[in-house]
Amino acid sequence: MSIFNRYFRFGNSVKLNSNISVSPLLLEAAKSDIPDVFNKLQASPNGLTQEQAEQRLEEHGPNVVAQEKQHGWIHLLSKAVINPLVILLTILAIVSFLTGDIRAAVVVAAMVVLGVTLRFVQEYRADTAAAKLKEMINVTATVIRDGKPREVKLEELVPGDLVKLAAGDMIPADVRLISSKDLFITQASLTGESLPVEKSEVNEKNETRQALELKNICFLGTSVESGTATAVIITTGLKTYLGTMSGAIVTQQVETSFDKGINKFTWLMIRYMLVMVPIVFLVNGLTKHDWREAFFFAMAVAVGLTPEMLPMIVTVCLSKGAIAMSKKKVIMKRLHSIQNFGAMDILCTDKTGTLTLDRVIIERHCDVVKNEDDDVLSLAYLNSYFQTGLKNVLDRAILQHKEVHEELNMPEYSKIDEIPFDFSRRIMSVVVEMPDDTHKIISKGAPEEIFKRCTGFELEGQIYPLDQVLINDLRQEYEDLHADGFRVLALAYKKMERKSAYSKEDETGLILRGYLAFLDPP
């Protein structure tokens, strides 16, 4: 379900509340023809020139949304000082000094200074380390500038820029699609829906369609699941849909339970002092009739009631925890967060990555009866080599075989078209022009999906029909590879009639060629 509940007329924004909105320019672009979109943006299908991009960057500002501010040392120091317990101890140290109790004043002041210094140093170092980590992340997009594709940092993108999108790319701004092929976008970050949605460049005719459901619009913060596209940037930075959310994204840090506990304890001590110190002062003064001595005695009681060592002990214990975490390569930006970790009984978290070395290798490349076959590896290499977009670990393992590149003499081959991977088909295909000028579709993917599209199989140079009697035997071959702990892909091909564009419908009548078995050791 979309987060939008109604539209306003053009010229206003579509709003759920005053903070979250979609630019009217984006809504207009969705309904406009592609030439009209370029005219309104004063852009062209060849992209902007570098000079135009620099002028627009100065006009519109960097393509960044609000993010957590990097605080200076003054802010961190003030945050360490402005603490109820620290303030209370500071007041008592001043009172002790003014009343002549120099020893007590020095002890209390020393505890305050040491506690504040330790917390400040720990948090300043953590902030600096986190800032250095962020600087290492350099996200770019493929942009057409001066008629040529180049990699440009996301913050340097401007309205009117033409961007190329492929599987694995993040949408760099709010964009209008110009062309696309089998494009699926993951919008979970904005809608919460885990399944990808299909997008295309077709003009939006449905006036009642909600903003996030527009088929030709993609939003900053989403990503390309599969397919390829070219898009023109409509809005950047704070004018994007995600940018209007930025006020809700960057919020004040929540007080930890530890902070609340310290504050409660401090105010308990203050209330106790407000009751006890006047009583002690009055009782002592009325019984001994020496009000000056009674005042000093009451101040001594106030100092005695206060645990001067508490800030120091707390900071040292938390710092010890932060140091232990740092040895495990974990940065604790806020020292008091250590207590939250210690208070956990069970931590539930999503596992990312695998429990393996993540160094996948091709262990076997074999025909349909598991005999080693170099032709299977050659076809797989052509498929992975000509694939655009995100190359997964299996593709990278195939491309590690540099000797195949030389053996095939790759300049003799050229890519005609591509049918990108998607999670419903679980197949990726490329159409290649072979040295004999024929077109061949080469498909690799999940064995059960490849089998559905095959009508025959090749063995020792001969092609045999794939009838029902043989299917179970052939299936058993790749299931045996699975049982041995391999990740298995099936490979198939078909010679095609020459044409300019191919689609999923062409992935039929394939010839099963063999299997690729990958190993990723634990």
Side-chain angles (χ1 to χ4, degrees):
M1 181 176 178
S2 170
I3 65 169
F4 297 107
N5 55 5
R6 63 190 177 97
Y7 283 105
F8 289 127
R9 63 179 176 81
F10 177 72
N12 295 306
S13 296
V14 179
K15 295 187 177 181
L16 177 67
N17 56 46
S18 59
N19 294 324
I20 302 174
S21 62
V22 174
S23 167
L25 292 174
L26 206 61
L27 298 176
E28 186 177 11
K31 296 180 286 186
S32 301
D33 293 328
I34 292 171
D36 293 336
V37 174
F38 280 122
N39 287 336
K40 289 182 183 297
L41 293 170
Q42 296 181 343
S44 80
N46 295 321
L48 302 176
T49 65
Q50 187 61 30
E51 185 180 355
Q52 285 176 315
E54 289 172 0
Q55 289 173 351
R56 295 189 185 197
L57 185 61
E58 189 173 340
E59 179 185 348
H60 294 278
N63 179 33
V64 293
V65 297
Q67 51 190 315
E68 187 180 357
K69 188 178 179 182
Q70 179 68 27
H71 297 296
W73 67 270
I74 295 176
H75 173 86
L76 292 174
L77 183 59
S78 64
K79 189 176 176 183
V81 170
I82 300 172
N83 176 290
L85 190 55
V86 169
I87 293 171
L88 175 61
L89 289 173
T90 303
I91 292 171
L92 290 176
I94 294 170
V95 171
S96 297
F97 179 78
L98 294 176
T99 55
D101 192 350
I102 304 299
R103 182 180 296 176
V106 170
V107 170
V108 174
M111 293 302 101
V112 168
V113 170
L114 286 172
V116 167
T117 302
L118 270 175
R119 179 179 175 183
F120 166 74
V121 169
Q122 183 66 42
E123 294 194 352
Y124 181 76
R125 289 173 60 189
D127 255 25
T128 304
K132 287 180 179 178
L133 284 176
K134 286 182 180 178
E135 287 173 3
M136 293 171 65
I137 301 171
N138 187 18
V139 183
T140 62
T142 304
V143 181
I144 306 299
R145 291 267 176 91
D146 298 315
K148 298 178 182 178
R150 65 173 70 174
E151 292 296 315
V152 174
K153 291 181 180 178
L154 254 59
E155 57 264 29
E156 295 175 6
L157 298 177
V158 295
D161 260 331
L162 208 63
V163 293
K164 296 285 187 180
L165 303 173
D169 287 346
M170 189 179 84
I171 305 299
D174 287 355
V175 302
R176 161 65 152 94
L177 293 175
I178 302 303
S179 65
S180 65
K181 183 174 178 62
D182 302 320
L183 183 67
F184 284 82
I185 300 293
T186 300
Q187 298 189 144
S189 58
L190 300 182
T191 64
E193 297 290 340
S194 58
L195 294 177
V197 295
E198 189 170 10
K199 299 276 187 176
S200 70
E201 70 276 13
V202 179
N203 285 8
E204 186 59 57
K205 302 298 183 184
N206 190 342
E207 295 288 339
T208 62
R209 198 185 297 277
Q210 297 181 336
L212 285 175
E213 296 172 357
L214 295 172
K215 292 294 184 182
N216 56 10
I217 298 296
C218 300
F219 295 90
L220 175 65
T222 61
S223 59
V224 181
E225 183 80 18
S226 62
T228 57
T230 302
V232 63
I233 293 177
I234 307 296
T235 55
T236 59
L238 294 175
K239 294 179 182 177
T240 62
Y241 173 71
L242 187 65
T244 62
M245 285 187 188
S246 56
I249 295 172
V250 183
T251 57
Q252 285 291 102
Q253 289 182 353
V254 179
E255 228 182 4
T256 66
S257 59
F258 184 75
D259 292 321
K260 292 175 183 176
I262 289 290
N263 290 341
K264 284 180 182 178
F265 172 77
T266 304
W267 285 109
L268 175 66
M269 293 302 303
I270 290 172
R271 286 194 292 270
Y272 195 53
M273 287 178 194
L274 291 175
V275 173
M276 287 297 298
V277 170
I279 291 175
V280 169
F281 174 67
L282 289 173
V283 170
N284 208 359
L286 290 172
T287 55
K288 296 186 178 179
H289 305 290
D290 188 342
W291 293 98
R292 183 174 181 276
E293 184 64 30
F295 174 76
F296 286 127
F297 186 75
M299 288 299 101
V301 169
V303 172
L305 286 172
T306 308
E308 294 90 348
M309 290 290 289
L310 183 60
M312 183 66 182
I313 293 170
V314 166
T315 305
V316 167
C317 290
L318 294 179
S319 296
K320 186 178 179 182
I323 291 168
M325 294 291 280
S326 68
K327 290 177 180 177
K328 301 291 184 181
K329 310 298 182 186
V330 177
I331 295 174
M332 300 301 301
K333 289 187 68 178
R334 297 291 168 260
L335 201 56
H336 286 182
S337 300
I338 287 290
Q339 191 271 344
N340 282 359
F341 276 98
M344 290 181 191
D345 294 317
I346 300 173
L347 172 63
C348 299
T349 179
D350 179 31
K351 179 185 76 67
T352 58
T354 64
L355 301 178
T356 58
L357 290 179
D358 196 31
R359 287 200 291 270
V360 178
I361 57 171
I362 297 181
E363 188 70 14
R364 299 191 64 185
H365 43 88
C366 53
D367 60 21
V368 294
V369 293
K370 295 192 298 187
N371 295 323
E372 291 297 310
D373 193 328
D374 290 338
D375 287 342
V376 173
L377 181 59
S378 298
L379 287 175
Y381 191 92
L382 287 170
N383 179 286
S384 296
Y385 180 83
F386 286 117
Q387 174 190 349
T388 58
L390 189 66
K391 286 182 168 55
N392 59 33
V393 291
L394 305 183
D395 289 306
R396 292 198 292 271
I398 293 170
L399 295 174
Q400 285 293 320
H401 288 264
K402 304 291 186 184
E403 72 281 0
V404 178
H405 189 100
E406 297 174 2
E407 290 169 3
L408 286 174
N409 193 11
M410 288 301 291
E412 294 183 359
Y413 298 82
S414 60
K415 175 183 171 181
I416 302 301
D417 203 356
E418 175 179 354
I419 308 168
F421 176 88
D422 66 55
F423 287 90
S424 57
R425 288 163 43 248
R426 295 193 292 160
I427 292 174
M428 188 273 150
S429 301
V430 294
V431 180
V432 179
E433 185 172 17
M434 308 299 283
D436 60 3
D437 292 333
T438 60
H439 286 190
K440 181 180 283 189
I441 185 170
I442 304 170
S443 302
K444 74 173 189 295
E448 56 272 23
E449 296 297 329
I450 291 286
F451 264 66
K452 293 177 185 178
R453 293 161 173 80
C454 289
T455 55
F457 66 93
E458 181 180 334
L459 181 62
E460 296 179 351
Q462 298 294 317
I463 295 175
Y464 302 93
L466 189 62
D467 54 41
Q468 193 61 41
V469 177
L470 294 172
I471 284 179
N472 291 334
D473 291 336
L474 293 173
R475 184 178 287 117
Q476 187 60 47
E477 298 294 342
Y478 78 75
E479 286 179 353
D480 288 345
L481 291 171
H482 274 303
D484 289 337
F486 295 115
R487 297 170 67 177
V488 182
L489 293 181
L491 194 76
Y493 72 92
K494 182 176 71 170
K495 290 184 178 180
M496 305 291 296
E497 293 183 7
R498 296 174 68 93
K499 55 182 180 179
S500 58
Y502 296 84
S503 65
K504 300 173 188 176
E505 285 69 33
D506 292 304
E507 293 176 329
T508 56
L510 301 177
I511 304 299
L512 180 65
R513 187 63 184 83
Y515 307 112
L516 299 160
F518 300 86
L519 182 65
D520 189 3

